[in-house]
Amino acid sequence: MSPAFRAMDVEPRDKGILLEPFVHQVGGHSCVLRFNETTLCKPLVPREHQFYETLPAEMRKFTPQYKGVVSVSFEEDEDRNLCLIAYPVKGDHGTVDSVDNSDCEPKSKLLRWTNKKHHVLETDKTSKDWVRQHRKEEKVKSHKLEEEFEWLKKSEVLYYSVEKKGNVSSQLKHYNPWSMKCHQQQLQRMKENAKHRNQYKFILLENLTSCYEVPCVLDLKMGTRQHGDDASEEKAANQIRKCQQSTSAVIGVRVCGMQVYQAGSGQLMFMNKYHGRKLSVQGFKEALFQFFHNGRYLRRELLGPVLRKLTELKGVLERQESYRFYSSSLLIIYDGKERAEVALDSDAEDLEDLSEESADESAGAYAYKPIGTSSVDVRMIDFAHTTCRLYGEDSVVHEGQDAGYIFGLQSLIDIVTEISEESGE
């Protein structure tokens, strides 16, 4: 545990930010929450915290940006709704105060904190009435989804039809079953411990999906070994069994979660880790193909950038001595929302009428390109079981490269290359 972390004490303040579920979490068991549009937070694990504070410079482009630490408490509002509230932490203001809170939605009895003047939000009667009515409406929606959610938790692959009218990205929050499950479990854990403990430290990380309108996310569990050096015999045996019964043992990688928007049918497809464990090597390849397919055609323009980034990451990890990224995941993210590229001789009326609906109907007449400047992203996440000799406290010290992780990267490179070649790239 780093000295900086030991020195951090919760600073008692009456201002906080309401945390919301991160709707694009497709894997993992630790709850990831939305702090604001560009920042997420997750429960602080000392080993992962230490990793982010000491990671090599050349690895930073392949990990989320670390933004500091907050204190999170479990609270009930005036209507007895369960909430998770983030507060600043003493000793970490240099990082936390630089986080932009401008997009945090106003919440009843909450204050937005920055390193400048503090602003009271929603103090007038009208705002309180609006908040109360809004929460009543949300409760009705929640009740309607409750039975469906119970079914969702038991399903491994799901397809949802998204209405073509309206903003697709705004509808995503109602559909992702894995993020709903993780958020519900986190609330339950904190509720059970509320009598004994009501202050938890969370780390702030870059929201890798914030630049995409409709994020398509693939969570891959990397390496041939998943258990950390500190795992109990039972835990180690359980993780070894999961690897042996999945593609992890054969190719060093398995599907841990997936979210894909299929523009052809207007559907969202979700795949969870339980289905990912059952896939054969051929099934894994088919799942990867499906991830890059939008329901009309393969997104071939993404394959080249993915291969380049995977190859670069492999080179970076081959230069790291002693690191072992046990149970770490690799995210591949791109935008499922596309815009039509109109021909140069199109008139103004064509441009005005062009919409998602008309584009779907005339798929053969237009070429499609992803929205945004960053077409695809590749990042490592989840370092709760990472070890390195630089940490100085581990009983087991490894030498050389993380061969299992690198093996998984090479397998991934080979399979994406096969998909690219078979599709005529």
Side-chain angles (χ1 to χ4, degrees):
M1 186 181 298
S2 67
F5 175 66
R6 293 193 195 100
M8 290 179 190
D9 294 315
V10 175
E11 181 173 352
R13 294 186 180 181
D14 59 350
K15 48 198 169 292
I17 291 174
L18 179 64
L19 301 176
E20 300 175 345
F22 173 54
V23 299
H24 302 305
Q25 179 181 359
V26 298
H29 62 271
S30 180
C31 178
V32 179
L33 298 165
R34 181 188 184 276
F35 182 84
N36 63 24
E37 182 64 27
T38 60
T39 307
L40 305 175
C41 64
K42 60 182 293 192
L44 185 151
V45 176
R47 182 171 296 274
E48 182 170 45
H49 181 243
Q50 187 172 22
F51 170 81
Y52 278 112
E53 288 196 322
T54 62
L55 83 165
E58 65 176 342
M59 284 188 62
R60 289 175 187 163
K61 67 181 295 184
F62 290 106
T63 60
Q65 179 190 356
Y66 167 69
K67 299 186 177 185
V69 179
V70 290
S71 175
V72 175
S73 66
F74 176 90
E75 301 175 13
E76 287 187 347
D77 63 13
E78 58 189 14
D79 295 321
R80 301 189 67 80
N81 293 312
L82 304 180
C83 304
L84 295 179
I85 313 296
Y87 297 93
V89 175
K90 184 185 296 183
D92 206 46
H93 294 295
T95 305
V96 174
D97 285 344
S98 66
V99 177
D100 179 16
N101 299 323
S102 60
D103 72 324
C104 295
E105 296 182 6
K107 304 295 178 182
S108 179
K109 292 189 176 181
L110 295 181
L111 302 178
R112 181 179 296 137
W113 45 268
T114 65
N115 56 347
K116 300 180 180 180
K117 182 178 179 182
H118 303 293
H119 301 280
V120 179
L121 303 176
E122 297 191 358
T123 55
D124 61 352
K125 184 176 184 300
T126 303
S127 295
K128 290 182 179 180
D129 290 342
W130 180 88
V131 170
R132 193 171 289 109
Q133 178 60 33
H134 176 71
R135 283 178 172 159
K136 285 181 181 179
E137 292 173 358
E138 288 299 314
K139 281 184 177 180
V140 172
K141 292 179 183 177
S142 177
H143 181 71
K144 290 180 179 179
L145 288 170
E146 190 171 339
E147 290 185 4
E148 184 179 11
F149 179 47
E150 289 303 315
W151 174 73
L152 291 178
K153 290 191 293 186
K154 300 174 183 177
S155 303
E156 296 179 357
V157 179
L158 297 167
Y159 289 86
Y160 271 107
S161 293
V162 180
E163 295 179 10
K164 289 191 176 182
K165 292 184 178 180
N167 190 333
V168 175
S169 58
S170 68
Q171 299 178 51
L172 286 174
K173 63 182 179 180
H174 299 299
Y175 293 98
N176 189 324
W178 195 261
S179 64
M180 291 166 65
K181 176 181 178 179
C182 291
H183 186 255
Q184 191 178 70
Q185 289 176 338
Q186 181 69 31
L187 283 174
Q188 185 59 35
R189 283 194 296 267
M190 295 179 78
K191 181 179 180 180
E192 291 172 354
N193 295 330
K195 292 182 180 179
H196 309 288
R197 181 187 179 194
N198 196 33
Q199 292 290 337
Y200 297 81
K201 288 188 175 70
F202 278 53
I203 58 173
L204 296 174
L205 298 171
E206 173 188 6
N207 177 3
L208 301 173
T209 68
S210 63
C211 62
Y212 302 109
E213 186 171 347
V214 184
C216 294
V217 184
L218 177 63
D219 185 324
L220 298 170
K221 187 70 73 175
M222 301 299 297
T224 53
R225 168 180 161 176
Q226 301 302 322
H227 63 280
D229 293 321
D230 59 344
S232 65
E233 289 186 13
E234 181 181 1
K235 179 68 177 291
N238 187 41
Q239 293 291 354
I240 291 171
R241 177 181 55 80
K242 290 177 183 177
C243 288
Q244 291 175 340
Q245 295 178 351
S246 70
T247 55
S248 292
V250 184
I251 57 175
V253 56
R254 71 173 183 259
V255 173
C256 193
M258 185 191 298
Q259 170 180 298
V260 183
Y261 176 60
Q262 299 181 321
S265 60
Q267 288 184 321
L268 288 166
M269 189 278 281
F270 300 101
M271 180 184 295
N272 68 25
K273 66 180 183 181
Y274 303 112
H275 185 77
R277 289 178 193 165
K278 297 176 182 178
L279 295 175
S280 62
V281 174
Q282 179 60 30
F284 177 88
K285 180 179 176 180
E286 291 170 358
L288 207 60
F289 180 90
Q290 187 175 25
F291 175 68
F292 290 112
H293 200 284
N294 69 359
R296 288 192 299 257
Y297 51 82
L298 186 69
R299 295 284 300 273
R300 295 185 182 91
E301 80 280 3
L302 301 173
L303 301 180
V306 166
L307 283 172
R308 286 192 291 272
K309 293 187 177 185
L310 290 175
T311 302
E312 184 181 355
L313 174 58
K314 180 171 175 282
V316 169
L317 294 188
E318 286 174 340
R319 293 189 290 273
Q320 305 309 313
E321 288 289 324
S322 183
Y323 274 101
R324 294 296 181 273
F325 303 100
Y326 299 134
S327 199
S328 178
S329 284
L330 188 71
L331 293 184
I332 301 178
I333 311 170
Y334 70 88
D335 203 333
K337 181 72 171 180
E338 297 176 279
R339 60 177 171 82
E341 184 179 12
V342 185
L344 294 176
D345 58 352
S346 298
D347 56 31
E349 186 176 350
D350 290 335
L351 293 171
E352 187 174 318
D353 291 342
L354 188 60
S355 63
E356 185 177 350
E357 289 82 6
S358 62
D360 285 342
E361 294 168 359
S362 55
Y366 297 98
Y368 288 83
K369 289 188 176 181
I371 289 177
T373 56
S374 179
S375 61
V376 66
D377 203 358
V378 174
R379 304 286 187 105
M380 299 173 69
I381 60 167
D382 296 339
F383 305 101
H385 301 286
T386 292
T387 180
C388 176
R389 66 185 175 202
L390 300 176
Y391 294 173
E393 298 178 0
D394 295 343
S395 58
V396 180
V397 177
H398 301 273
E399 298 297 333
Q401 309 166 344
D402 187 339
Y405 197 112
I406 293 171
F407 172 60
L409 276 177
Q410 185 59 55
S411 297
L412 198 54
I413 290 169
D414 292 342
I415 292 173
V416 175
T417 299
E418 286 179 24
I419 292 173
S420 178
E421 292 174 348
E422 290 172 2
S423 66
E425 180 75 350

